[in-house]
Amino acid sequence: MAAARGTRSTLAPVAVWALTRTALLLCVFKVVTVPGPDVTSDVSAIYHGWSEVLRSGTYPLHDITWQYPPVAALAVLSPGLLPFLDYTSAFFVLVLLCDALVLGLLRHAARRGRSAGVWVWVAGVPLLGTTSYARYDLMVAAVAVAALLAGVRRPRVMGALAGFGAMLKVWPLLLLVGTPRGRVTRRSWTAAVVTSVALLVACLVSAPGALAFLGFQRDRGTEVESLGALVFHVARQFGWQGRVELNYGSIEFLGPYVPLVSGIALGLSVLAFGWLLMWRLLARTFTPGTPADAAFTAVLLFTTTSRVISPQYMLWLVALAAVALVSRHSRMGLPAGLVLIATGVTQLEFPLGFVHVVTSDATGVTLLFVRNGLLVAACLIAARRLWRQTLPALGAAGGRAGTADEGTEPAHDRAKTDGHAKTDDRTGTGGRTGTGGRTEAAGRAEPDERDAGPLRRSAGRADTPASAP
């Protein structure tokens, strides 16, 4: 009976995945028509056009909509792997395969972790709707998930995949922000740099225009769905003399004070980077879930403060939230839930209600306030939880903060949680106290940390495959 229940619980995510992905395919193949703009035109027109240019031996030098790192050419050219299908159909099939790969990786990790992360992925992709399959971001998310799940057990693999992902769409470089100090960080960061540089050199040698994207990306303004755009959506109600136009490949606000708001958004991103740098320098307690939690928090911060929040960006957050929640040590349950809700609201504003967003009517403004408000709340909660989890001793008497290399100490020398010591039947380290006989319980843990257990890792391994971002 128990075995039957276990089999059903294991197969349930697969069944739901199959049903929801069938629905997505029906939509992108236009068997079912979705209201709003045709999101598949990016594949059939823009991506297909880029592929023709790339096959001629050059990057799209004079196309301002080409705003991606040079290895993105592989994603654009990938439909050529299925020559028996037309370009658009082949692209959708490849995205489906990447989607299935992520599901498989998460299910494998969940055998030693939690199934919550699997369900986040199963639900998150259809919540975004057809946009999920009509952009190459899901391919990038698959690389990021593979990197995170390689984790501290395979730091070089993790770093190489993060470096490869960074050359696809930059943000996967943030996957390494939470790696434990010491050998894991050295190996993963070195592998990322070597991989990125090697790929960049190869692209520069193989075709002209590999760095053209930098100028096009720099000149982007305030996109109508971004956090900063809310200023102009409200200002339009009071006679602001600006306009909405297609600019640098997205619908942006143009007019008075737009450069100022864009500059403030850039400033917020700089502040986010500063906070992450400070956290990295001060963090001492690295649990197996810290790398994934840190990666999720970092990408969430930069996505929310960006001048552009394109709908497909939500896939990045869904993927990282899924990996985080596979780990039993993660504390990102609430922010991950907020991201899922925000993903559903994103589909309501694009493509379903995009006309309301562009015209800044009550419906459009409300949708954006809700979606962006959820992202801001998720940022604040995720950052607070990451800080409290990794710096539990800063508020304790004497300001004890652990050793600088605590993330890589042998497990038998350290068996504490953020809130209390706990017996581990495998190591016999239950109820350990510090050298002075004091239990190391500085920084009270929240209820969702009670099953965190003792830290069990060394520089080259972790106790779950989901222990990384």
Side-chain angles (χ1 to χ4, degrees), residues 147-429:
L148 287 169
L149 294 180
V152 295
R153 302 181 74 179
R154 302 176 184 84
R156 290 192 178 94
V157 175
M158 180 187 186
L161 288 173
F164 176 67
M167 290 292 99
L168 279 170
K169 210 159 189 182
V170 180
W171 67 266
L173 199 59
L174 293 171
L175 301 178
L176 304 179
V177 70
T179 53
R181 296 167 185 259
R183 185 168 55 179
V184 174
T185 289
R186 289 193 299 270
R187 289 181 174 179
S188 60
W189 291 20
T190 299
V193 171
V194 170
T195 301
S196 299
V197 171
L199 289 171
L200 180 58
V201 170
C203 292
L204 288 171
V205 171
S206 61
L211 298 180
F213 77 99
L214 292 174
F216 301 150
Q217 186 65 246
R218 179 196 62 218
D219 295 332
R220 297 191 74 167
T222 297
E223 188 255 349
V224 294
E225 297 165 275
S226 66
L227 182 63
L230 288 172
V231 173
F232 300 112
H233 283 294
V234 174
R236 291 178 89 182
Q237 315 306 315
F238 299 94
W240 176 70
Q241 298 300 310
R243 60 194 187 279
V244 174
E245 290 184 6
L246 179 64
N247 189 53
Y248 283 94
S250 64
I251 305 297
E252 297 181 354
F253 279 115
L254 300 175
Y257 306 108
V258 172
L260 173 62
V261 171
S262 296
I264 292 173
L266 182 60
L268 289 175
S269 295
V270 171
L271 287 176
F273 175 79
W275 182 89
L276 284 170
L277 180 61
M278 181 174 64
W279 168 80
R280 175 73 196 186
L281 293 174
L282 295 176
R284 291 296 180 267
T285 304
F286 287 78
T287 73
T290 299
D293 286 358
F296 172 68
T297 302
V299 176
L300 181 58
L301 285 169
F302 279 100
T303 299
T304 304
T305 58
S306 174
R307 295 171 296 172
V308 178
I309 306 181
S310 296
Q312 61 269 23
Y313 293 6
M314 300 304 297
L315 279 177
W316 313 349
L317 303 177
V318 168
L320 299 184
V323 177
L325 293 193
V326 164
S327 172
R328 296 184 184 277
H329 303 270
S330 176
R331 299 184 57 204
M332 294 297 151
L334 179 55
L338 294 176
V339 163
L340 281 180
I341 298 172
T343 302
V345 177
T346 298
Q347 182 179 185
L348 294 179
E349 61 93 356
F350 184 89
L352 302 182
F354 197 57
V355 64
H356 300 288
V357 172
V358 172
T359 57
S360 301
D361 66 17
T363 299
V365 174
T366 300
L367 287 172
L368 286 180
F369 263 106
V370 172
R371 196 280 300 275
N372 292 344
L374 287 167
L375 290 179
V376 171
C379 280
L380 296 175
I381 295 170
R384 179 174 179 269
R385 291 190 173 190
L386 180 66
W387 186 275
R388 293 185 63 184
Q389 182 186 29
T390 54
L391 285 78
L394 287 185
R400 298 172 64 250
T403 63
D405 290 321
E406 186 171 320
T408 57
E409 285 184 17
H412 60 271
D413 290 337
R414 187 183 64 261
K416 62 178 183 293
T417 65
D418 290 344
H420 58 278
K422 181 178 176 181
T423 300
D424 190 310
D425 295 335
R426 290 170 289 181
T427 62
T429 56

Side-chain angles (χ1 to χ4, degrees), residues 36-236:
D38 178 15
V39 300
T40 65
S41 62
D42 274 32
V43 178
S44 59
I46 299 176
Y47 286 12
H48 192 191
W50 286 341
S51 70
E52 297 295 333
V53 175
L54 289 165
R55 276 198 288 264
S56 71
T58 181
Y59 284 90
L61 287 168
H62 307 294
D63 187 345
I64 60 174
T65 62
W66 175 261
Q67 300 170 9
Y68 309 108
V71 177
L74 296 181
V76 173
L77 292 170
S78 62
L81 297 172
L82 304 177
F84 49 88
L85 295 174
D86 64 85
Y87 182 91
T88 304
S89 299
F91 183 87
F92 295 148
V93 170
L94 290 174
V95 171
L96 175 68
L97 293 176
C98 289
D99 190 353
L101 174 63
V102 173
L103 177 68
L105 291 172
L106 291 170
R107 289 185 70 227
H108 178 74
R111 293 177 183 177
R112 299 177 64 184
R114 298 185 299 179
S115 62
V118 179
W119 282 109
V120 167
W121 181 254
V122 169
V125 173
L127 279 175
L128 187 59
T130 50
T131 305
S132 297
Y133 274 30
R135 305 290 187 271
Y136 83 90
D137 293 78
L138 198 147
M139 298 178 177
V140 185
V143 175
V145 169
L148 287 169
L149 294 180
V152 295
R153 302 181 74 179
R154 302 176 184 84
R156 290 192 178 94
V157 175
M158 180 187 186
L161 288 173
F164 176 67
M167 290 292 99
L168 279 170
K169 210 159 189 182
V170 180
W171 67 266
L173 199 59
L174 293 171
L175 301 178
L176 304 179
V177 70
T179 53
R181 296 167 185 259
R183 185 168 55 179
V184 174
T185 289
R186 289 193 299 270
R187 289 181 174 179
S188 60
W189 291 20
T190 299
V193 171
V194 170
T195 301
S196 299
V197 171
L199 289 171
L200 180 58
V201 170
C203 292
L204 288 171
V205 171
S206 61
L211 298 180
F213 77 99
L214 292 174
F216 301 150
Q217 186 65 246
R218 179 196 62 218
D219 295 332
R220 297 191 74 167
T222 297
E223 188 255 349
V224 294
E225 297 165 275
S226 66
L227 182 63
L230 288 172
V231 173
F232 300 112
H233 283 294
V234 174
R236 291 178 89 182

